[in-house]
Amino acid sequence: MRKGRAHRRRQQRRLRQGRTVQGDSGRPCIDKTWSDLRSWCKARGMPKTKLTLAYFPDTFRGMMATKDMGTGEDIVRVPESLLITASKVKRLLASDRTIPWTLSEHQSLTCWLYTESEKRARSEWHMYIDSLPRDFASVPLFTLSGTVPASNIAMDTREASWIMGHLPYSVQQKVGEQHERLYRDWVSTCRFLEELGLEALVAWRRYVWAWLAVNTRCIHLGQPASSKDSMALAPILDFLNHSEQADVTTFYDSKSSQFVIRTNRPFRKGQEVFISYGPHDNRFMLLEYGFVLRQNPYQVLELDHAVCAWVDAVKSRSKAAKRPGAGLMQPADIDALIATLKQHSLWGDYTISLDDLEPSYRLHAALRLLLPAEQRDVTSKQAIALWDRWRRGSAADSMADGHSADLAMQKAISAWVGAVCQGLSKLSQRMLAETALSSRPADAVDGFLVQCLHTVWLEISSIAERCLDKM
């Protein structure tokens, strides 16, 4: 039956208000930067795609199918001429081929993007560069990298202090490692450009922007375009949003020298098409890409910091004991336990998963070895011997004694997990209050970053409280 005039007026009103009309259909984005980029790619040999930029109610902006597609159809093909790889950067920059190329792929792409972005409209790639974000304010490193090159994270502004103070402990550590890589890349690139006799890097903030653009937007080629290239920058593709349920295949087609995205299922016209960045939890997504998923299936509590803090506390109590030799393990004994875990590759990566709300094997094994450090009259050698028998599945000298000891250990592990979850629950409640929309900091902290942090702390609170409910 034909729709009436009133229906058509309501439909037009929804479109003017920016709302979609049919299910998950998008609304095409009328954007000059996008249309210029598409024309530029077409002029350089890129085949017509079956995607266009569009607005969606949940993901804001992404790539929409322009027609119905079946399984196994190619959605987009990017020719090698539009792929920026380290090999191509080497040919562009290194006129003196006698000097060994020492930059990594990430360093090479960052160096290229830095130098090309300085040229502005004079760069033949300016249409692509203009399509990149002007900043990466929702990536914590963007602010924490500071205004000048330095080996340590910059904490000289209220904004940086607030961000660092509201990151989970595991993310604090990893953003520090991330900054170390960024600074090393800057130093290595400066030294290399000097050897080539090329213009030195001077703008730290431009380099940070370029480094993060590569980190958040590069594609992995799968079957490399050459024996040396495994990653590339590619126009158009960085508009695709991430989903852990993406139903596409990406690969480099060496026969046609094109990077291809192909469907694994049918798509309707108007649907959003996603790619997958991999099976990552929200802390990783925030650290590396500057966004989180509202329903991320890979939710875990990361407890490395809790284990290390507990070890430090036990060592401190041991040092403070009035009679150090009276039955308590000394710091050197505890270090022997840690060395044993490292020897068996069981030091670190301690988690509790949302799936079963149980300590991972790594955490369970570590606690079995470490918790005896709080018991009197247990030596490190005894603890290691008992733990090694448990690890090998050997029978106890006495079945009754073995069962009793195992129950006691299970109770100790449960008590340790409960105490940690209590602390995380309390901490997360404070963080949720401080990242809530109503209490957003008045300074320049990016609003979307604050929302992402709120989601991360909501996950931590949920898992911690569910673990407590289970006990």
Side-chain angles (χ1 to χ4, degrees), residues 34 156 309 422 426:
W34 164 251
D156 54 349
Q422 284 278 10
K426 184 177 180 180

Side-chain angles (χ1 to χ4, degrees), residues 158-440:
R158 286 183 57 197
E159 181 185 4
S161 297
W162 192 94
I163 292 172
M164 196 65 171
H166 289 80
L167 294 175
Y169 293 124
S170 60
V171 182
Q172 289 182 15
Q173 178 183 354
K174 289 172 184 174
V175 77
E177 297 168 356
Q178 195 180 41
H179 183 270
E180 289 176 5
R181 294 196 303 272
L182 167 65
Y183 181 69
R184 284 199 305 268
D185 287 354
W186 164 271
V187 172
S188 298
T189 305
C190 286
R191 187 182 301 120
F192 180 71
L193 291 177
E194 183 180 355
E195 292 176 1
L196 287 180
L198 297 176
E199 186 176 347
L201 303 177
V202 293
W204 170 249
R205 293 307 299 170
R206 182 183 294 274
Y207 187 83
V208 171
W209 169 83
W211 195 91
L212 287 173
V214 173
N215 199 58
T216 59
R217 315 192 96 66
C218 71
I219 59 170
H220 293 275
L221 297 175
Q223 292 293 327
S226 71
S227 59
K228 297 181 180 179
D229 296 319
S230 62
M231 58 189 289
L233 291 172
I236 304 291
L237 301 187
D238 53 5
F239 285 103
L240 287 157
N241 287 322
H242 160 79
S243 171
E244 75 283 355
Q245 298 177 337
D247 290 308
V248 297
T249 298
T250 62
F251 62 96
Y252 183 81
D253 183 359
S254 56
K255 293 182 179 179
S256 63
S257 298
Q258 294 176 331
F259 185 82
V260 183
I261 298 180
R262 182 171 292 168
T263 62
N264 291 334
R265 65 164 177 84
F267 282 85
R268 298 193 316 276
K269 179 181 178 180
Q271 278 189 302
E272 182 169 8
V273 178
F274 296 91
I275 57 173
S276 174
Y277 299 170
H280 303 301
D281 61 59
N282 272 341
R283 286 174 295 279
F284 181 93
M285 300 301 290
L286 177 61
L287 182 74
E288 296 290 334
Y289 301 111
F291 69 90
V292 297
L293 302 178
R294 283 188 293 181
Q295 299 293 331
N296 192 322
Y298 307 106
Q299 296 183 33
V300 296
L301 282 183
E302 294 183 329
L303 299 181
D304 287 26
H305 178 270
V307 172
C308 291
W310 178 87
V311 167
D312 290 342
V314 173
K315 285 183 177 181
S316 295
R317 287 195 293 271
S318 176
K319 289 179 181 178
K322 293 182 179 180
R323 291 189 300 150
L328 286 176
M329 282 194 198
Q330 295 302 296
D333 299 316
I334 298 172
D335 288 338
L337 303 182
I338 294 173
T340 300
L341 290 172
K342 290 180 178 179
Q343 180 184 349
H344 291 87
S345 302
L346 288 172
W347 179 245
D349 192 19
Y350 301 134
T351 60
I352 295 177
S353 171
L354 178 64
D355 293 336
D356 56 14
L357 300 174
E358 293 287 341
S360 65
Y361 172 79
R362 297 180 64 85
L363 177 58
H364 186 90
L367 293 177
R368 271 189 170 270
L369 181 56
L370 293 173
L371 288 180
E374 283 197 307
Q375 300 174 9
R376 290 189 177 275
D377 301 320
V378 177
T379 67
S380 59
K381 289 184 179 180
Q382 290 172 332
I384 292 170
L386 189 63
W387 180 80
D388 197 50
R389 290 169 62 179
W390 166 81
R391 188 177 62 85
R392 296 174 182 274
S394 302
D397 294 335
S398 165
M399 185 174 295
D401 290 345
H403 180 67
S404 176
D406 189 65
L407 286 177
M409 178 56 69
Q410 293 286 2
K411 186 176 180 180
I413 291 174
S414 180
W416 186 94
V417 170
V420 169
C421 287
Q422 284 278 10
L424 284 174
S425 177
K426 184 177 180 180
L427 174 62
S428 61
Q429 292 308 309
R430 177 168 68 85
M431 291 297 179
L432 285 171
E434 294 177 3
T435 57
L437 195 62
S438 58
S439 59
R440 181 178 298 175

Side-chain angles (χ1 to χ4, degrees), residues 33-60:
T33 301
W34 164 251
S35 59
D36 288 348
L37 176 65
R38 192 164 53 177
S39 300
W40 179 80
C41 289
K42 181 180 178 181
R44 281 155 180 76
M46 184 172 178
K48 185 176 181 181
T49 73
K50 298 173 183 177
L51 299 173
T52 191
L53 193 63
Y55 292 111
F56 295 89
D58 292 330
T59 58
F60 179 60

